Amino acid sequence: HPAWPAGPVPAHPVTNGTATLRFESLVPRLTVNVYDVAGSSVFATRLPGHSATGTLTLDLRTLGAGVYLVRVEASGFSSTRKLTIR
């Protein structure tokens, strides 16, 4: 299953427009959604699979500064974390 870092995703606020998610195991059919504070989907991506101990970089340069929620779903696993863009 995806393994989140100990802090928010990423641990520090995004300042360059990209966020990197790290995974510690095989992740089949990965779905990542980013929501604004109103609950509207502002970014979404789906991948057929992701390899062990891999990373996925999200290009979020089209999003304005603010607080967002990142939801990752894969094979029965789901997790939501806060993301801050400055």
Side-chain angles (χ1 to χ4, degrees), residues 9-28:
V9 177
H12 302 287
V14 173
T15 57
N16 65 356
T18 62
T20 301
L21 305 179
R22 290 177 180 81
F23 302 94
E24 295 181 359
S25 62
L26 181 62
V27 181

Side-chain angles (χ1 to χ4, degrees), residues 4 8 16 22 28-29 39 45 53 56 59 68 77-78 80 82:
W4 293 99
N16 65 356
R22 290 177 180 81
R29 295 180 303 265
T45 188
T53 63
L56 172 64
D59 183 352
Y68 297 87
F77 170 87
S78 66
T80 303
K82 182 173 80 171

Side-chain angles (χ1 to χ4, degrees), residues 32-36 40-46 56-63 68-71:
V32 178
N33 289 291
V34 179
Y35 300 94
D36 62 17
S40 298
S41 178
V42 295
F43 177 89
T45 188
R46 291 184 183 179
L56 172 64
T57 300
L58 306 178
D59 183 352
L60 304 175
R61 291 178 284 183
T62 60
L63 302 181
Y68 297 87
L69 296 175
V70 178
R71 182 165 181 83

Side-chain angles (χ1 to χ4, degrees), residues 34 40 43 50 72 75 84:
V34 179
S40 298
F43 177 89
H50 211 69
V72 174
S75 297
T84 302

